[in-house]
Amino acid sequence: MAVPGIPTVRETGSLQKMKRGGRSWDWRGWKFMLPFALVFIFVFIVPIVYAIWISFYQKRMVGGTVFVGLANYIRLMQDAQFWDSVRRVALFTVVQVPIMLFLAAAMALALDSMKLHGSRFFRISTFLPYAVPAVVSTLIWGFVYGAKYGLVGSINNVFGSDLNVLAPSVLLAAIGNIVTWEFTGYNMLIFYSSLSTIPHSLYEAASIDGASEWQIVRRIKLPELRGSLAITVIFSIIGSFQLFNEPSILQNMVPGNSVTTYYTPNMYAYNLSFSGNQSNYAAALAIVMAIITMSIAYVVQLRSMREQMK
Amino acid sequence: MKFTKRAVALVGAVIMLAPLVACGSSSSSSDSGSATTSIVVWSWDSTVPRTVAGFEKANPNIKVKVTNAGTNKDEYTALNNAMSAGKGAPDIAQIEYYALPEYVIRDNLQNLSSLGASSYKSFYTPGTWSSVNINGGVYALPIDSGPMALFYNKEVFDKAGVTQVPTTWDEFYEAAKKIRATGSYITSDTGDAGFFDSMTWQAGATPFATSKDGKTVTIGLTTDSGVKKWTAFWQKMINEDLIDTKTPGWSDDWNKGLNDGSIASLLTGAWMPYNLLSGAPDGSGKWRVAQMPTWEAGGTENSENGGSSLAIIKSSDDAKVKAAYKFLDYVAHSATGIKTRVDAGAFPADNDTLKSSDFLDATSLTDSNGKANEYFGGQEYNKVLAKAATDVITGYKFLPFEVYARGIFADDAGAAYTDKSITLSQGIAAWQKNLTKYAESQGYTVK
């Protein structure tokens, strides 16, 4: 961003600067950049470099800290628990993200149709869950899910059923439900804002040409949503791969092994680092996860960009 | 408009700087020239702060600040972070007995022997003393203890026709069947590692050991006969659906289960009474306390569950260490300090209190409004618990990474409880394997 500073000098032909010696550097751009650059370096670059650096070491309770080279990474590649957690969040992403985005798009289209009464209330109320801290909403859902005394428990009492949504086999779906509840409104708002940029004259023209409501949706609105779809997909993928709050809170509310210490990659890193005295290994895990998440997000972005070029 | 923006920016800047300022000033208070020393204590035990007023009155030049930095695991996480960061650690921390060895091995704690604690052996119960006495040093002073006892809901037991309290595990099994027939469970367990430790300890197990130099650990879960004995018994209870394996301990559902009698008894530490009073208030008058069932008729063997000590974090600041020890001695060793805490509901770890008639004759708990509550129906419950404390088998050792070990117990063995896809002994074998792997990666020699 600041690099263009050099050509600027040459183009305007600042003679004074040139005379003082060709090696002179124009710092003006950098000065504008400085506050940002400093913060960026300290809160972003330094921690990443530090994490990479410590991932080459191993701290042992007996023997202290030793340099181990790539041993942490090699161990990670063979760590069944790690891959188990990656598989779990991948499954979560593949199932939960499409459902959530479909719901969000449907809501945005419904709002945009201007045929709803109380659309403002609707808009606020669907967005509201996003404003509730994830810890709080997970606690609330945890009470709802309680098979004995929660809402699920009441349903069981009334119908004599034996539902338990906190059982290990269905817990991931129950977490998906919480996450969907939390983030549908947020994604809806992104969709809605891109829909509202469509000029109304287009709709008028379409209806004069005899287009039905469904045709307007298909030919005008959905194509417009594509750009924001790419953004929401990337955000959602990153969010799902970083799943932590919900399972971590639920861990104390579910029996036994329903939420293991390696339930998601983030939880695994947390437990390794803070209760397992293995922050070096956790750093290696974090870096590998960052690479995995970035490459998936990059592929999605490339694809959606190519589609938009068409 | 311009002004408000600036004001907002200024306020924001001040707010952001405030924590930095606070950080800078807190550590320097001890050497500011005046004779006042301030010490920071991390403790989640609600009875510890009550001792501060009395202590500060007797020691006007020591200021004590008690902070709740989280309950057990959360506090250890914060403590580990502060220690590896090299600053922010308290002067005194509450550490449970099971977590103590790992802090000793990592050389984080002050040895209290030279400060006067080495002569306290006869002051504390055998179980608690052996927990703080590690490798020949004294690294903490006991503040409470948790000898195991059977807390049971007499109403539910009576209704099920269990009129005699089970005294052996066989009788416990028979009682469990009768209680299950009424729809309740005799107790719950969803894979609690602390409970596993206590129960195998009572069965005579000693699966773990650490060599004196702290470099060799023994992990013998799969070969220990005590572990086998208990595992077989508990597997039978799980198989016949005699224990609730769906309600996690300390959850909302669990408290409600204790409250309405669907969980009819608890095998847990002597610190339980006040937790029952707050978690299951409707059980008042219905609950009773009895000795743990034993493996042979007429046996008395017992174990501990939970219980905490206060330890001094190693520091080069002698004045602080001395001040910290003064407070520690007041809380854990002086008669006034102990009385303040016992009156507030702590279960004592010292023999004097366990023998005092004040303590033994108590028939009621004090509720949050200060009213007496005969929760145990007028029973002299402390007499039972004090007896339980003297029966604890000494010699049980925790792992030097017990906190982590307990953290992964449910990963490996949880399925034996939750969906019963494996047996308990398979789960424990998996736990043994993962603990061994972990110990080796931490540089231990594993036997």
Side-chain angles (χ1 to χ4, degrees):
Chain A
M1 285 154 230
V3 180
I6 313 159
T8 323
V9 174
R10 295 215 177 116
E11 277 156 24
T12 53
S14 167
L15 281 171
Q16 273 182 327
K17 288 236 166 173
M18 298 298 264
K19 272 177 196 167
R20 270 185 210 157
R23 315 201 88 219
S24 132
W25 191 277
D26 191 334
W27 288 101
R28 275 175 299 183
W30 283 102
K31 278 176 190 161
F32 281 107
M33 273 276 294
L34 191 69
F36 168 77
L38 279 184
V39 174
F40 184 73
I41 287 169
F42 277 105
V43 305
F44 199 77
I45 305 287
V46 170
I48 289 179
V49 171
Y50 180 69
I52 293 173
W53 183 63
I54 65 168
S55 72
F56 294 124
Y57 288 83
Q58 208 173 74
K59 191 175 77 190
R60 294 177 182 156
M61 288 169 94
V62 178
T65 305
V66 283
F67 180 82
V68 293
L70 290 172
N72 283 328
Y73 291 93
I74 293 164
R75 183 182 149 201
L76 192 69
M77 292 303 127
Q78 298 160 346
D79 187 340
Q81 295 190 333
F82 170 65
W83 293 112
D84 199 34
S85 71
V86 174
R87 220 172 295 129
R88 194 171 288 115
V89 286
L91 174 71
F92 184 86
T93 310
V94 170
V95 177
Q96 188 263 340
V97 172
I99 292 175
M100 173 177 70
L101 294 183
F102 175 78
L103 285 175
M107 278 179 181
L109 287 171
L111 267 181
D112 193 60
S113 71
M114 303 206 242
K115 284 179 179 133
L116 288 182
H117 287 287
S119 66
R120 272 177 133 174
F121 170 78
F122 185 69
R123 204 165 64 201
I124 282 291
S125 58
T126 48
F127 183 69
L128 216 54
Y130 180 68
V132 180
V135 173
V136 176
S137 49
T138 310
L139 278 173
I140 295 170
W141 275 103
F143 293 134
V144 170
Y145 285 160
K148 238 175 167 178
Y149 301 99
L151 185 67
V152 172
S154 310
I155 292 173
N156 281 345
N157 275 345
V158 171
F159 297 104
S161 53
D162 196 21
L163 280 175
N164 183 8
V165 290
L166 295 176
S169 51
V170 289
L171 187 65
L172 196 62
I175 292 174
N177 181 43
I178 300 177
V179 176
T180 306
W181 179 82
E182 283 171 330
F183 291 102
T184 302
Y186 170 76
N187 289 307
M188 181 273 291
L189 216 61
I190 295 179
F191 288 144
Y192 180 68
S193 63
S194 77
L195 282 179
S196 46
T197 59
I198 303 173
H200 274 256
S201 51
L202 262 180
Y203 300 145
E204 279 163 27
S207 51
I208 289 168
D209 286 345
S212 67
E213 195 66 31
W214 172 238
Q215 277 171 320
I216 291 178
V217 168
R218 263 196 59 192
R219 307 275 177 194
I220 302 175
K221 292 188 176 180
L222 284 183
E224 187 63 29
L225 279 183
R226 250 193 216 153
S228 42
L229 187 66
I231 295 172
T232 51
V233 166
I234 289 169
F235 280 177
S236 307
I237 289 173
I238 294 173
S240 318
F241 270 80
Q242 293 180 346
L243 194 64
F244 179 81
N245 279 336
E246 292 80 8
S248 178
I249 298 292
L250 281 178
Q251 194 170 31
N252 292 324
M253 307 173 96
V254 297
N257 68 336
S258 306
V259 177
T260 52
T261 59
Y262 54 90
Y263 199 71
T264 71
N266 263 10
M267 279 186 75
Y268 193 33
Y270 176 86
N271 284 312
L272 283 174
S273 178
F274 294 128
S275 70
N277 191 35
Q278 304 188 71
S279 40
N280 308 85
Y281 186 47
L285 189 161
I287 288 157
V288 169
M289 267 324 284
I291 292 170
I292 292 176
T293 315
M294 274 193 300
S295 18
I296 291 173
Y298 186 68
V299 169
V300 171
Q301 197 171 13
L302 268 190
R303 270 203 56 171
S304 67
M305 271 169 72
R306 211 175 292 148
E307 241 164 58
Q308 276 184 322
M309 291 298 181
K310 273 181 200 166
Chain B
M1 192 59 199
K2 212 173 185 184
F3 170 76
T4 44
K5 254 191 192 165
R6 220 182 255 177
V8 168
L10 194 68
V11 169
V14 169
I15 289 170
M16 282 195 278
L17 285 175
L20 296 178
V21 175
C23 277
S25 63
S26 63
S27 58
S28 59
S29 51
S30 66
D31 43 24
S32 57
S34 75
T36 312
T37 312
S38 38
I39 54 171
V40 176
V41 181
W42 280 5
S43 168
W44 65 86
D45 183 325
S46 63
T47 65
V48 171
R50 296 186 192 217
T51 58
V52 172
F55 174 77
E56 285 183 344
K57 214 168 154 197
N59 299 274
N61 53 2
I62 302 174
K63 288 269 162 289
V64 182
K65 193 176 164 229
V66 181
T67 315
N68 183 347
T71 301
N72 50 48
K73 245 176 93 178
D74 296 337
E75 192 211 72
Y76 305 145
T77 302
L79 197 58
N80 295 345
N81 287 349
M83 281 165 172
S84 51
K87 62 173 196 173
D91 302 296
I92 296 179
Q94 177 178 357
I95 300 175
E96 284 159 289
Y97 299 124
Y98 78 87
L100 211 49
E102 60 192 80
Y103 288 100
V104 173
I105 279 166
R106 282 191 239 151
D107 200 25
N108 294 136
L109 304 181
Q110 197 83 34
N111 188 345
L112 309 176
S113 301
S114 57
L115 292 162
S118 52
S119 60
Y120 289 174
K121 180 174 182 198
S122 57
F123 185 79
Y124 295 108
T125 60
T128 57
W129 180 256
S130 76
S131 299
V132 297
N133 189 350
I134 298 164
N135 291 342
V138 181
Y139 288 94
L141 291 185
I143 55 167
D144 64 4
S145 66
M148 293 284 278
L150 171 66
F151 294 82
Y152 66 100
N153 188 324
K154 191 171 186 300
E155 204 181 73
V156 180
F157 271 49
D158 283 347
K159 210 165 66 191
V162 184
T163 45
Q164 287 279 325
V165 190
T167 58
T168 64
W169 289 116
D170 286 337
E171 287 175 28
F172 186 80
Y173 167 72
E174 295 302 329
K177 282 202 283 196
K178 285 184 190 162
I179 287 164
R180 187 72 195 103
T182 67
S184 293
Y185 282 102
I186 193 161
T187 191
S188 71
D189 181 16
T190 62
D192 175 357
F195 180 72
F196 170 84
D197 276 7
S198 299
M199 296 301 285
T200 52
W201 177 351
Q202 199 225 4
T206 48
F208 309 129
T210 311
S211 66
K212 207 144 201 186
D213 62 3
K215 288 181 180 161
T216 308
V217 290
T218 310
I219 305 171
L221 288 160
T222 45
T223 47
D224 190 290
S225 60
V227 173
K228 278 184 189 158
K229 188 158 66 167
W230 181 76
T231 307
F233 174 67
W234 214 238
Q235 186 70 60
K236 185 167 75 170
M237 299 287 284
I238 294 172
N239 285 349
E240 298 180 25
D241 189 35
L242 297 178
I243 47 174
D244 179 353
T245 57
K246 299 228 154 55
T247 311
W250 305 101
S251 68
D252 201 38
D253 275 6
W254 183 76
N255 274 322
K256 285 178 176 150
L258 295 174
N259 202 34
D260 69 13
S262 57
I263 299 172
S265 78
L266 285 174
L267 300 157
T268 192
W271 35 259
M272 194 65 208
Y274 277 86
N275 295 300
L276 274 174
L277 179 63
S278 62
D282 293 351
S284 177
K286 299 174 190 163
W287 285 70
R288 298 288 183 276
V289 187
Q291 299 298 342
M292 282 285 278
T294 54
W295 291 95
E296 305 287 338
T300 57
E301 71 274 14
N302 199 10
S303 59
E304 299 243 359
N305 183 277
S308 304
S309 61
L310 288 181
I312 299 179
I313 309 300
K314 212 164 207 182
S315 157
S316 51
D317 188 343
D318 249 9
K320 277 214 169 198
V321 171
K322 285 212 176 88
Y325 185 73
K326 263 191 183 159
F327 181 66
L328 197 55
D329 200 72
Y330 180 84
V331 177
H333 186 248
S334 79
T336 41
I338 291 172
K339 187 169 172 7
T340 311
R341 296 189 46 255
V342 170
D343 286 348
F347 189 80
D350 66 299
N351 292 316
D352 289 351
T353 314
L354 285 171
K355 281 179 198 143
S356 76
S357 55
D358 241 17
F359 174 74
L360 291 174
D361 297 345
T363 55
S364 61
L365 305 173
T366 313
D367 68 14
S368 52
N369 300 323
K371 279 202 203 115
N373 184 322
E374 292 208 333
Y375 197 87
F376 298 105
Q379 184 191 15
E380 287 173 331
Y381 59 97
N382 277 338
K383 279 199 175 132
V384 180
L385 299 173
K387 164 84 171 59
T390 60
D391 289 336
V392 173
I393 305 171
T394 56
Y396 183 88
K397 295 282 178 238
F398 297 110
L399 279 172
F401 42 87
E402 186 80 24
V403 179
Y404 175 77
R406 289 186 177 190
I408 62 165
F409 177 79
D411 288 357
D412 295 324
Y417 301 83
T418 317
D419 53 18
K420 301 171 193 175
S421 55
I422 56 169
T423 65
L424 200 49
S425 61
Q426 281 170 338
I428 283 158
W431 195 37
Q432 158 104 12
K433 204 178 108 207
N434 282 327
L435 288 179
T436 306
K437 213 161 77 183
Y438 178 78
E440 281 166 353
S441 79
Q442 290 293 327
Y444 289 102
T445 312
V446 182
K447 272 205 288 191

